[in-house]
């Protein structure tokens, strides 16, 4: 089994992005699964290009893209990517699309093909707070999820894909002030390697 995991570079003035910090710590092999880890630019155009290049190079049977959703409490497994770009802040290239499609001739939405509910249950059983999310937003993470699922449906329909949003690290949460949820990077790493195993088993 060949599995691609992606994380994002920092964006929005943050020094780190926990998604890449957790992804880059993954071993290259987990229980017989070959894991390829790739960092994506947090930029609509270059992010998509880097994802498509990685998909074409590895032709992975499973893909789990990972990003930061600051303010959420635990892990969130995204159920759907939508054909919409509506950026609240400019991306890392200064591009801020509003009310634009990801792919003008693409479907309105694509559902994740990884078993998000089972993955959430598996994570919760292991003590990692996790929930299903029905919106990946309208920024670069949604764009990447939509691009991934649309590509898989057309090019590798037997493969499966999905998106995992991580919360702030404890350090980031503490900087934001009271009542902002965060998670220790070690716990995120443990949860991510379990998520990879659950994705591979699907
Ligand atoms: N989170 C952003 C983009 C990159 C990231 O890690 C998002 O949720 O769209």
């Amino acid at each position: 089994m060949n599995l691609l995991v992606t994380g994002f570079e920092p964006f929005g003035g943050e020094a780190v992005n926990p998604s890449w910090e957790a992804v880059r710590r993954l071993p290259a092999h987990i229980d017989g699964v070959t894991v390829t880890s790739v960092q994506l630019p947090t930029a609509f155009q270059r992010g998509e290009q880097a994802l498509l290049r990685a998909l074409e190079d590895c032709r992975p049977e499973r893909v789990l893209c990972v990003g930061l959703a600051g303010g959420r409490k635990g892990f969130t497994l995204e159920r759907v990517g939508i054909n919409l770009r509506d950026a609240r802040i400019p991306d890392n290239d200064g591009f801020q699309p509003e009310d634009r499609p990801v792919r003008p001739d693409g479907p309105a939405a694509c559902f994740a093909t990884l078993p998000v509910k089972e993955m959430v249950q598996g994570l919760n059983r292991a003590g990692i707070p996790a929930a299903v999310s029905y919106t990946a937003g309208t920024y670069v993470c949604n764009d990447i999820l939509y691009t991934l699922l649309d590509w898989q449906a057309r090019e590798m329909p037997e493969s499966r894909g999905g998106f995992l949003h991580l919360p702030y690290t404890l350090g980031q949460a503490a900087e934001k002030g009271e009542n902002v949820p965060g998670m220790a990077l070690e716990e995120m790493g443990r949860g991510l390697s379990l998520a990879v195993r659950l994705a591979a088993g699907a």
Side-chain angles (χ1 to χ4, degrees):
M1 168 77 58
N2 171 11
L3 191 142
L4 173 69
V5 191
T6 68
F8 282 102
E9 63 185 19
F11 69 103
E14 298 289 336
V16 294
N17 190 322
S19 67
W20 178 241
E21 294 310 309
V23 168
R24 73 182 179 86
R25 288 171 168 79
L26 282 172
H29 299 278
I30 301 179
D31 295 350
V33 179
T34 303
V35 178
T36 305
S37 302
V38 171
Q39 188 187 37
L40 302 179
T42 306
F44 287 93
Q45 311 289 23
R46 283 189 305 119
E48 279 187 15
Q49 284 161 10
L51 174 71
L52 293 172
R53 208 176 312 121
L55 291 171
E56 270 148 26
D57 286 352
C58 327
R59 306 218 36 106
E61 296 157 84
R62 300 286 181 273
V63 183
L64 184 63
C65 296
V66 187
L68 163 68
R72 288 191 187 171
K73 262 205 272 179
F75 279 29
T76 42
L77 264 299
E78 300 296 344
R79 186 76 184 80
V80 60
I82 61 174
N83 193 7
L84 178 66
R85 293 174 158 182
D86 198 34
R88 187 179 46 83
I89 54 170
D91 71 13
N92 285 359
D93 288 340
F95 180 49
Q96 189 173 8
E98 284 177 48
D99 300 320
R100 311 301 304 169
V102 177
R103 202 162 75 86
D105 56 346
C110 297
F111 288 116
T113 46
L114 289 175
V116 292
K117 287 189 182 166
E118 285 83 346
M119 290 173 72
V120 163
Q121 285 163 5
L123 288 162
N124 284 334
R125 270 199 294 271
I128 307 288
V132 177
S133 160
Y134 297 94
T135 175
T138 53
Y139 192 52
V140 179
C141 289
N142 171 72
D143 207 87
I144 286 299
L145 174 59
Y146 181 89
T147 300
L148 165 68
L149 297 172
D150 178 58
W151 183 90
Q152 287 183 316
R154 286 180 294 119
E155 304 286 336
M156 265 188 89
E158 71 285 8
S159 65
R160 290 180 175 213
F163 197 101
L164 169 64
H165 261 128
L166 303 181
Y168 282 134
T169 62
L170 291 179
Q172 286 175 315
E175 274 174 17
K176 303 273 172 323
E178 265 179 66
N179 297 326
V180 175
M183 192 187 276
L185 206 46
E186 297 69 41
E187 192 180 8
M188 291 200 213
R190 187 169 72 83
L192 179 60
S193 50
L194 176 55
V196 164
R197 271 179 274 137
L198 293 166

